[in-house]
Amino acid sequence: MNPCFKDSDIHLLIVEQNHQDLTLVKDFLQPLGITMITANNCSNAIQLAVQTPNLCSIIFTTPLEDLKSQEIATFVRKTPGLEVTPIIFLTSLSENSDEVKATSKFQAVDFIFKPIKPHLIQNKVQILVELKKSELLLKQADAELSHWHHLFESVFKYVPIAIVIADIKTSMIESINQTAMNWFQTIDNTREQLKQIDNTIATQKFTAKLTIDLLLHEQVKKCEITREEINTQSGIKRLYIINDISRAEAADKANEAKSSFLANMSHEIRTPLNGILGMTSLLGRTELQPKQQEFVKTIRLSGEHLQALINDILDFSKISAGKMTLEYTTFDLNEVIEDLIMTFAAKAQEKHIELTYLIKPEAQISVSTDETRFKQIVVNLLSNAIKFTEDGTVHLQVRLKSQRAPMLSVSVKDTGIGIAPSHQKALFKAFVQAEDSTSRRFGGTGLGLSICKKLVTLMGGEIGVKSELHKGSTFEFSLPVEIVNRNPKHFTKGILPELVEKNILVVDDNSTNLMVLRQYFDGWGASVTCIDNPQALIEKEIQITHFHLILLDYQMPEYNGVQLAKRLRKEYGVDCPKLILCSSSNDIKITADIFDAIIYKPVRASILYDSVINTLYNGWTADAAKKQIKPRRKLKQIANTFPLNILVAEDHLVNQEYMRYLLDELGYSCEFANDGQAALELIDKKQFDVVLMDVLMPVLNGFQATQEIKQRYKEKSPQIIAVTANALKGDKERCLAAGMDAYIVKPVEEEQLIRCLKKAYKKLNKNKKMDLRNLDSNQNVQFETNEAVLIDKERYLRIPEPVRIKLNKLFIPEAEKDLFALENALKQQQHDVVQKIAHKLKGSAANLGLVKLSEVCYEFQLLAEKQQNASVESVEQLNQVFLQSKSALASFVDEN
């Protein structure tokens, strides 16, 4: 029942010949929000009033067509349907006039005397509106009550349970339904049966229900009795509810006999069948001719098919008879799902179907439920998906719906034949398939989904399907589970330090594969770029040298993975990132000079993790890789030396946490905005020095937000640093063209971030008279580098050994010459020369992984660009860093 009506649902009829007066009245009543209709004569008004629903009143302005108010009232009251409709007359007559007195005798008639007071007419009409609403609610409630009354009468009359109401004192039967009359046949017999019930209750301890034998249809039947006492206006009555349970017991016995028969038959069939399958297996191992091998294979497949049918029928009979019991065990979801996926890998490969799976991070857990039945449901859904898919993809996904009352959700999506809407409702019924032709084409009994439905229901869950004919289907079921352990495996523990700073490129023309791999790498904290067109690598639309690893799919249009890898190796040589091939075929062979590893589909998370770690860390194990990860340096004084208020505009939670961690290591606190619009709102409220701006965000992207900030604040705007995973040609130029002040590629490296923050600090302090160019000439610049690591061992080891040996021999003598030339240029204040030498030395040091030396050289380069001199202490520090780097490099070379 609708609990209320809106003001606009109520109608008011205004009858007025004068347009100006009509407009005035409507203006007065406009605030009420009701719907107003108009008429300009009495006849038209009556016709409209009869047709208009929810009419609260009719307002007449007199005189109208030379009719007096009592004549109008008489006309209205004689019209069927308007006998009690409220009438308001707007008149210039006095309150004591004969016409007013005569009209007032009519029911529901009121007057408003001119000049009209707005509040008066508003109040009167408002009262009538509320009265109309109340009237409508009462009518609605009455209709609802009448509906339920008729419904109760129907239920009472035809429910297949006997219901009798009798007076507690006189035992007179006051009400009896049709079933009771059919069973007891006469009122006298009914009274006798009720007496038997009362006597039995009197001699037994009666709680809520009683089972006794009664005479029904002249036969003794076992009945379940409920007797209640109820208070009514005419006294206390007894309510008897009598249910014939003899039929149900007979049905239970029949079901039990049927189940027993099916179990026995299943056993009798299964025993010789197992012998057939066993002997067929042994026969297949002997020396047979090709034709005989084909016969043996046919026998084996037919036997396995028959065994599957027997299992389905037995399970169905067990569930139907209520004999199926659940056994709760604890198991690791990752292991179970991966094992099930690998079971179907060969079948999917035979049909050239992409079989993929994804376990969401929140579902990387161990759970307690019936493992056997859980597997049975998943196997059935996967089997159907592969069976009914001729081309495309089958994707399984596992997620956790709720953390408080955990519901495990498993979906299987395919690109198969699909199911027509008319067949979907009956799909989970026994012996039903999508179409009759399906049974002939694909085989099966139609029991599989029925068993799934019954098992899911037995386990307290739900199952459903969404499908479109000729496009595919998605079956999803949810089960309540108990979470026993979260993150049981290392590769399921979210962000992993050994992968946080790794740039990974995935190339695959299948969007589902890209989605799965992206979610794995995102979850581990790596920076992943996915492309579905290998041509982008051929045409160098994407820069690959900054990637640590590239995953190539084997089967792609135009270029397969092997062809693409050979071309990349040839074009980039030693600068080519490490390569891993992903293939659905076990027949693909690779050589070490092309690929560093191969992963066979469907890609398992554990295998993917091990292969990536093994590849990135030169054959080391995951444990060894973690040991190699150098601990993050404590750089808290960076924030003290370069104090900044920082805002991070980033919509990805994982990236937010990583930026929080990096900035905290540098001693900075920061605030976060989830999109460009939120960043603008925060900048309006608070002054920020630096905005680390993600490029791709909802609402306002990074480019739009930057342009708006620069337009609003002009020279007072914060320094905006683009933070993006984009590595395509021209991305940096696009960021700078949008007004951004600097550009960082994800994953953000500590040194890169420090460099950008230092630059931002120096730019911001130009207007505060702290710019280096405004310092006194005697105040030469000092800079902090004592926290930088001397050598990046990982970067150094990535250089092929022959190249490393050559670079080691060249670097030291060349660097010594460059340092001598740099000091001479500084003494002569040849800033252009200093800038070139510092830039050259910075690059060569960086190539060998000498990050501290590279950073110090970069500081000298910046000073030279600004036509500034470095202090004597700074030059001494540069020489000291060089000697330290030289010593560290020699020691590390000896160790390796």
Side-chain angles (χ1 to χ4, degrees), residues 589-756:
K589 305 298 180 185
I590 63 168
T591 55
D593 61 325
I594 301 176
F595 287 102
D596 298 276
I598 183 169
I599 300 174
Y600 294 105
K601 295 180 180 180
V603 178
R604 302 169 68 177
S606 55
I607 300 298
L608 175 65
Y609 171 77
D610 288 340
S611 297
V612 168
I613 290 297
N614 188 56
T615 301
L616 288 175
Y617 292 94
N618 301 309
W620 290 8
T621 64
D623 289 336
K626 285 182 280 182
K627 289 178 183 176
Q628 189 210 24
I629 304 297
K630 52 185 179 289
R632 288 202 170 274
R633 296 166 289 133
K634 300 296 180 182
L635 298 170
K636 299 290 184 184
Q637 76 275 18
I638 293 290
N640 296 330
T641 309
F642 304 96
L644 295 166
N645 290 325
I646 298 174
L647 172 64
V648 179
E650 169 66 67
D651 64 311
H652 197 290
L653 289 176
V654 173
N655 292 339
Q656 285 186 5
E657 286 304 309
Y658 180 58
M659 289 303 299
R660 189 195 305 277
Y661 172 69
L662 270 184
L663 291 169
D664 182 65
E665 287 294 294
L666 303 180
Y668 292 106
S669 59
C670 61
E671 294 187 33
F672 290 93
N674 291 324
D675 55 64
Q677 183 61 43
L680 278 172
E681 292 170 0
L682 282 171
I683 293 170
D684 285 340
K685 296 175 184 176
K686 182 178 177 180
Q687 184 176 353
F688 290 96
D689 300 312
V690 171
V691 180
L692 295 170
M693 183 76 75
D694 184 32
V695 171
L696 299 177
M697 293 184 292
V699 188
L700 275 184
N701 63 38
F703 298 120
Q704 295 166 328
T706 297
Q707 289 167 354
E708 184 64 30
I709 291 168
K710 294 293 184 181
Q711 187 175 349
R712 286 189 192 181
Y713 297 98
K714 296 182 172 58
E715 69 276 358
K716 293 184 179 180
S717 68
Q719 290 289 296
I720 299 176
I721 301 172
V723 183
T724 176
N726 288 347
L728 295 175
K729 192 186 298 183
D731 281 325
K732 180 177 180 180
E733 291 74 15
R734 187 183 174 198
C735 289
L736 298 177
M740 297 175 179
D741 301 283
Y743 172 88
I744 298 178
V745 178
K746 293 178 181 176
V748 180
E749 294 183 0
E750 203 168 61
E751 299 299 328
Q752 191 181 20
L753 180 61
I754 292 171
R755 195 154 50 243
C756 284

Side-chain angles (χ1 to χ4, degrees), residues 149-194:
H149 177 73
H150 290 307
L151 184 63
F152 175 77
E153 279 188 339
S154 298
V155 171
F156 178 78
K157 187 174 182 180
Y158 298 111
V159 68
I161 296 173
I163 303 174
V164 183
I165 300 173
D167 187 273
I168 195 169
K169 292 180 180 179
T170 64
S171 299
M172 181 181 294
I173 294 175
E174 297 190 357
S175 186
I176 182 169
N177 72 343
Q178 190 64 48
T179 302
M181 283 301 298
N182 291 340
W183 286 359
F184 301 130
Q185 296 182 344
T186 66
I187 294 295
D188 289 338
N189 186 40
T190 303
R191 194 177 291 112
E192 286 298 319
Q193 298 300 319
L194 297 185

Side-chain angles (χ1 to χ4, degrees), residues 483-498:
I483 298 175
V484 179
N485 178 33
R486 295 180 185 274
N487 304 327
K489 296 283 187 293
H490 178 71
F491 67 86
T492 67
K493 291 183 177 177
I495 296 177
L496 304 175
E498 59 266 33

